[in-house]
Amino acid sequence: MTIYAAKDYLDLSRKAANIISAQITLKRNSVLGLATGSTPVETYRQLIEKYRQGDLDFSEIRTINLDEYKGLSGEHNQSYRYFMNDVLFSHINIDLKNTNIPDGLEEDSEKECSRYNQVIRSMGGIDLQLLGIGGNGHIGFNEPSSFFEKETHLVALAEHTRKSNARFFTSVDEVPTHAYTMGIKNIMDAGKVLLLASGEAKAITLYDSFFGFVTPEIPASILQLHPNCIVIADEPALAVIREKTGWEGAVYDN
Ligand code: PGA
């Protein structure tokens, strides 16, 4: 694991966009695992900018998103399909047929989960998986648990997650109670993992995830075992790591 310190959110986003751009340039039909949430929004904006400048071509890129709320259609403005179209896909030359997100309207969870695992396999796996991190250490919607869930599964969202995501809905009661999410094995099988963390609300969980025990109680901690994991965090998110480890540099290699 390598942690790169970023000055602030913009610096973090630029660094992340540069890494993703390099991946696209080096392999024009890369499979990108994508994430939703507030954190990657500026990274996506930077990628759109690079596309507009003629530096990136998404025509052969394939994408697979981490998760989707169960019960929301792709037209619902809080669904992750809607989000991805809105913040990235509709602004670049990607073929929407090459973009994959779990089908929130599929009632049969076994069917949807095995379909999604099959999609990942048929693309030959994920070259680069982008991740945010929840304040409770979740990655995708892999919530704190007593075991690591392996592949795509239906999850009951943690209260912490529903409250945190209530900011996008009119009330917490409207936040779906369940979601489909890739599992830890799907994420760990990715060739590269790029985790982004911004803001002081992530500082404790970032320290626990990368400097504590590997435990399903803190799902992101499994990434300590990934052979090619890059973390980019801004200074507010690094506050606890800086304080507890005494690390003062710009790059931390472990
Ligand atoms: P955020 O969410 O980017 O909105 O902080 C991250 C996550 O919950 O994975």
Side-chain angles (χ1 to χ4, degrees), residues 173-194:
D173 297 335
E174 286 191 16
V175 182
T177 55
H178 290 76
Y180 289 123
T181 182
M182 273 188 210
I184 293 295
K185 180 174 187 304
N186 300 122
I187 294 170
M188 290 298 281
D189 282 348
K192 263 186 220 109
V193 170
L194 174 59

Side-chain angles (χ1 to χ4, degrees), residues 2-22:
T2 305
I3 304 177
Y4 292 92
K7 274 200 309 280
D8 52 26
Y9 177 62
L10 185 60
D11 185 29
L12 171 157
S13 306
R14 287 210 182 110
K15 286 178 164 58
N18 284 339
I19 291 170
I20 297 168
S21 299

Side-chain angles (χ1 to χ4, degrees), residues 36-40 67 131-136 138-141 161 164-165 167-168 196 198 202:
T36 53
S38 313
T39 311
D67 43 20
L131 295 175
I133 181 169
N136 63 358
H138 75 199
I139 46 177
F141 272 139
T161 301
S164 153
N165 290 4
R167 66 192 195 274
F168 302 115
L196 310 180
S198 172
K202 306 293 170 67

Side-chain angles (χ1 to χ4, degrees), residues 124-187:
I126 299 166
D127 292 304
L128 184 154
Q129 177 65 56
L130 181 64
L131 295 175
I133 181 169
N136 63 358
H138 75 199
I139 46 177
F141 272 139
N142 290 277
E143 300 284 26
S145 155
S146 47
F147 56 96
F148 287 115
E149 282 267 13
K150 294 193 179 85
E151 296 200 293
T152 310
H153 57 284
L154 180 69
V155 66
L157 296 178
E159 222 27 57
H160 180 286
T161 301
R162 292 187 68 238
K163 280 195 188 132
S164 153
N165 290 4
R167 66 192 195 274
F168 302 115
F169 293 80
T170 43
S171 77
V172 70
D173 297 335
E174 286 191 16
V175 182
T177 55
H178 290 76
Y180 289 123
T181 182
M182 273 188 210
I184 293 295
K185 180 174 187 304
N186 300 122
I187 294 170

Side-chain angles (χ1 to χ4, degrees), residues 5-248:
K7 274 200 309 280
D8 52 26
Y9 177 62
L10 185 60
D11 185 29
L12 171 157
S13 306
R14 287 210 182 110
K15 286 178 164 58
N18 284 339
I19 291 170
I20 297 168
S21 299
Q23 174 67 43
I24 294 170
T25 304
L26 293 171
K27 186 179 174 195
R28 63 177 191 273
N29 65 346
S30 289
V31 176
L32 302 179
L34 297 181
T36 53
S38 313
T39 311
V41 170
E42 178 62 23
T43 301
Y44 293 148
R45 215 190 56 74
Q46 297 275 334
L47 289 173
I48 293 166
E49 201 50 43
K50 288 174 191 291
Y51 162 71
R52 287 189 178 144
Q53 286 165 0
D55 290 336
L56 286 180
D57 175 12
F58 290 85
S59 59
E60 292 181 48
I61 292 294
R62 293 154 305 150
T63 69
I64 181 112
N65 261 77
L66 284 165
D67 43 20
E68 178 62 283
Y69 289 117
K70 185 162 190 276
L72 297 195
S73 85
E75 277 85 52
H76 190 290
N77 66 6
Q78 291 309 325
S79 73
Y80 288 164
R81 163 54 75 185
Y82 186 99
F83 176 95
M84 289 308 302
N85 288 350
D86 188 40
V87 302
L88 182 63
F89 298 153
S90 63
H91 306 282
I92 56 176
N93 67 330
I94 198 161
D95 184 343
L96 279 184
K97 288 202 292 292
N98 290 337
T99 68
N100 298 279
I101 298 181
D103 177 1
L105 288 188
E106 178 54 65
E107 279 295 326
D108 183 340
S109 52
E110 246 172 69
K111 184 173 156 203
E112 181 55 13
C113 295
S114 79
R115 181 193 73 82
Y116 211 62
N117 290 328
Q118 189 46 41
V119 169
I120 300 171
R121 275 191 274 276
S122 71
M123 294 194 299
I126 299 166
D127 292 304
L128 184 154
Q129 177 65 56
L130 181 64
L131 295 175
I133 181 169
N136 63 358
H138 75 199
I139 46 177
F141 272 139
N142 290 277
E143 300 284 26
S145 155
S146 47
F147 56 96
F148 287 115
E149 282 267 13
K150 294 193 179 85
E151 296 200 293
T152 310
H153 57 284
L154 180 69
V155 66
L157 296 178
E159 222 27 57
H160 180 286
T161 301
R162 292 187 68 238
K163 280 195 188 132
S164 153
N165 290 4
R167 66 192 195 274
F168 302 115
F169 293 80
T170 43
S171 77
V172 70
D173 297 335
E174 286 191 16
V175 182
T177 55
H178 290 76
Y180 289 123
T181 182
M182 273 188 210
I184 293 295
K185 180 174 187 304
N186 300 122
I187 294 170
M188 290 298 281
D189 282 348
K192 263 186 220 109
V193 170
L194 174 59
L195 182 139
L196 310 180
S198 172
E200 61 185 345
K202 306 293 170 67
I204 293 173
T205 198
L206 206 59
Y207 173 78
D208 290 343
S209 299
F210 294 102
F211 292 85
F213 293 114
V214 174
T215 164
E217 298 291 336
I218 305 167
S221 65
I222 191 83
L223 296 172
Q224 291 182 39
L225 306 179
H226 193 285
N228 196 350
C229 175
I230 294 169
V231 177
I232 307 178
D234 62 14
E235 287 299 335
L238 286 174
V240 176
I241 293 178
R242 295 256 193 235
E243 182 197 317
K244 297 217 183 203
T245 67
W247 167 50
E248 291 177 343

